[in-house]
Amino acid sequence: MVTVNGSVVAIDGGAGDLNPTGHEVTFAGTVNGYKIQLQARSQSGGGSGGGSGSSGYRAGIDLLDLQVIGDNPTGPLTITLSDTYSLPGSGLGTYDLVSQLNRDSTPGYSTSGTVSLATTATSGSGSGGGSTPDVSLSPGQSSGTSSGSFPSTSNDYNLGQTVVVDGLGNGDGVQVSGGSVVHAPAPASAVLLLSGAPFLMMFRQFRRGQNRSVQPVI
């Protein structure tokens, strides 16, 4: 779902979405004096990427491209992308949150103002959540990242990515891309299995030693 300045402007596969592909949203329109073109994608599943570690569960919102042009803008522009995900296993534990933002100038337009991105995650039951500090980029700054954590307390959670454009002048433009990621470690059962492997090897070697016939000493 895409929300601009508090109003829902696009829902995946529904009103305002120009992209027929599932879990991808394309929006184009003018809101509060800002011309907006946006492409975003939501993904989840096991494997590498995001947060710390190279295994476990990863879900995220990819802001593939956002172009904003000032057309007599009024006040700051706030764009929020959100989706709901299921946690793996019991859903208990601490999960990493990561925000990443890239800023480019829009061809043919001068640039001004600041652009920021922050990620939030909240438990579906409302009993837990976390966020990352804002990644804020002024003209001339190309990229930035920030991280936080999320203590999960339920089997689902809401992931949100909020982009704020502030101080963009009339006729100025800005282009950004980035991502919001939640990353969970491998399930505890897998960790226990891996940590027990050396002990199992030693146990097998011990049993083989017990079954070996004893040779007389001459």
Side-chain angles (χ1 to χ4, degrees), residues 140-155:
Q141 292 180 282
S142 59
S143 64
T145 60
S146 67
S147 61
S149 63
F150 165 46
S152 170
T153 56
S154 74
N155 289 329

Side-chain angles (χ1 to χ4, degrees), residues 43-55:
Q43 298 184 96
S44 64
S48 62
S52 61
S54 58
S55 64

Side-chain angles (χ1 to χ4, degrees), residues 10-31:
I11 299 175
D12 182 24
D17 182 12
L18 303 177
N19 191 335
T21 304
H23 304 290
E24 296 187 19
V25 175
T26 299
F27 170 77
T30 300
V31 180

